[in-house]
Amino acid sequence: MDVLDGRVAFVTGAASGIGLGIATALAQSGVRVMMCDIERQALEAAHAGLAATNADVAHVLADVSLKEQLKAAADATIARFGKVHILVSNAGVGGGAGYGQWTDASWQWTIGVNLMSVIWGVEIFGPLIESHGEGGHIVNTASIAGLAAAVAPPYNVTKYGVVALSESLRAPLGARGIGVSVLCPGVIRTRIMESSRNVPARFAGQIERPELPPEQAALLAQFAAAMEQGIDPLYVGELVVEAILGDWPYILTDTQFEPMIEARFAEIRAGFDRIRDRTPRRGKAVP
Ligand code: NAI
């Protein structure tokens, strides 16, 4: 996208943290923003805060892990602004338990919010962006945990999924005038550690985090401490604006975890090296 002024964006998880940082940076660039979130009070407060800066913003309440609510939020966006150019699928929840501790409900919640909403976002908003012929952009929030399996398995799985989805769609949507970027933040100062505040009622009593084994508890405490020094969400929002204008495939926020990702690449390269000199036996057709 070359022009942002006057365009319309739909941002999920916009009531807090990175989503609010992105909504703010977009609004500061003249974008009209529909802010979407599950948390009513925080959403209303965030909306009021941006509206006070004279930004043209609106809000819509939705649980993005329910397709019909996301669809209704898209309809509300068109009703309010007439069209939409930018989708930021950012809502997400942390956690999901480790081996021996996860439940079906904790997988469903994490996959629903972090991954299915991103898939449905493309499905619902793609045709809306295409329909006006002015082009647009989709930003999907993954994580560094989408490039190296850094935290609990359910979270890593969803974030790898968001990276894979974004990479798969970059060429086909690019050909239709829609850029696709995946945002992989490091440690950003937000309320992600308090994600359980947004467990939907349908999972009540099924997701409580069990007593963590000491090494996991220590890792979590380390992360919580790091978050105190975390990056400003508005800084991330400003990067996202730059990425939309520059059509960046990957949006990284800092280099803290680059060695971890390099180590993963090295493991994969070692896998190739192990079999490099062999000639694979080609199979006969299975009868
Ligand atoms: P946050 O907790 O401050 O913000 C998340 C927002 O999503 C909240 O406003 C919350 O109400 C909303 N939300 C949660 N469930 C929802 C649902 N079912 N429907 C609609 N909205 C819902 O956390 P943060 O950090 O701003 O998270 C934003 C994204 O950034 C997430 O996808 C997270 O996984 C990702 N991320 C965050 C990192 C960090 O260090 N904070 C690092 C890497 C990725």
Side-chain angles (χ1 to χ4, degrees):
M1 288 181 78
D2 300 328
V3 180
L4 289 183
D5 195 30
R7 298 308 203 213
V8 176
F10 177 86
V11 182
T12 71
S16 135
I18 295 172
L20 180 54
I22 295 172
T24 305
L26 285 168
Q28 286 173 352
S29 306
V31 176
R32 297 178 286 159
V33 185
M34 177 60 96
M35 306 169 74
C36 172
D37 207 282
I38 196 173
E39 212 178 339
R40 181 187 296 276
Q41 271 190 345
L43 183 59
E44 287 174 357
H47 176 184
L50 272 188
T53 67
N54 277 339
D56 188 1
V57 290
H59 74 263
V60 60
L61 201 67
D63 175 351
V64 297
S65 68
L66 296 173
K67 192 175 188 178
E68 62 277 16
Q69 292 199 16
L70 188 58
K71 173 78 177 59
D75 292 344
T77 307
I78 300 302
R80 168 68 167 77
F81 291 109
K83 42 175 112 163
V84 59
H85 303 82
I86 298 167
L87 165 67
V88 183
S89 282
N90 163 82
V93 288
Y99 171 70
Q101 295 182 321
W102 62 53
T103 60
D104 284 355
S106 70
W107 276 98
Q108 279 163 18
W109 177 49
T110 313
I111 291 175
V113 182
N114 292 9
L115 182 57
M116 292 313 299
S117 74
V118 184
I119 296 170
W120 293 328
V122 171
E123 205 178 303
I124 294 166
F125 282 85
L128 294 175
I129 299 173
E130 272 192 80
S131 67
H132 49 65
E134 294 169 357
H137 205 94
I138 295 177
V139 178
N140 297 323
T141 301
S143 169
I144 283 291
L147 300 172
V151 289
Y155 189 79
N156 299 335
V157 166
T158 60
K159 296 303 185 179
Y160 269 67
V162 172
V163 170
L165 179 75
S166 308
E167 288 176 351
S168 327
L169 291 174
R170 196 165 154 83
L173 290 192
R176 291 162 178 260
I178 305 174
V180 180
S181 302
V182 63
L183 169 62
C184 298
V187 179
I188 316 301
R189 193 167 182 174
T190 71
R191 296 186 66 198
I192 188 89
M193 301 293 286
E194 302 155 50
S195 291
S196 57
R197 71 193 189 277
N198 288 314
V199 173
R202 66 187 182 281
F203 296 130
Q206 303 168 66
I207 295 194
E208 274 76 45
R209 192 186 273 283
E211 190 72 19
L212 287 177
E215 67 283 359
Q216 265 189 52
L219 194 73
L220 213 65
Q222 234 177 18
F223 192 74
M227 190 141 287
E228 290 293 307
Q229 306 299 319
I231 293 168
D232 177 358
L234 181 56
Y235 174 79
V236 181
E238 288 160 0
L239 284 177
V240 166
V241 166
E242 208 180 327
I244 293 173
L245 289 169
D247 193 20
W248 300 358
Y250 302 95
I251 312 169
L252 295 154
T253 56
D254 59 292
T255 56
Q256 183 181 355
F257 298 102
E258 192 177 2
M260 197 168 72
I261 293 162
E262 292 289 357
R264 174 169 179 259
F265 290 161
E267 283 289 350
I268 294 170
R269 202 171 307 114
F272 281 117
D273 287 344
R274 244 171 250 128
I275 49 84
R276 193 171 302 286
D277 298 332
R278 302 188 193 180
T279 309
R281 186 170 54 249
R282 304 285 166 189
K284 295 182 194 143
V286 177

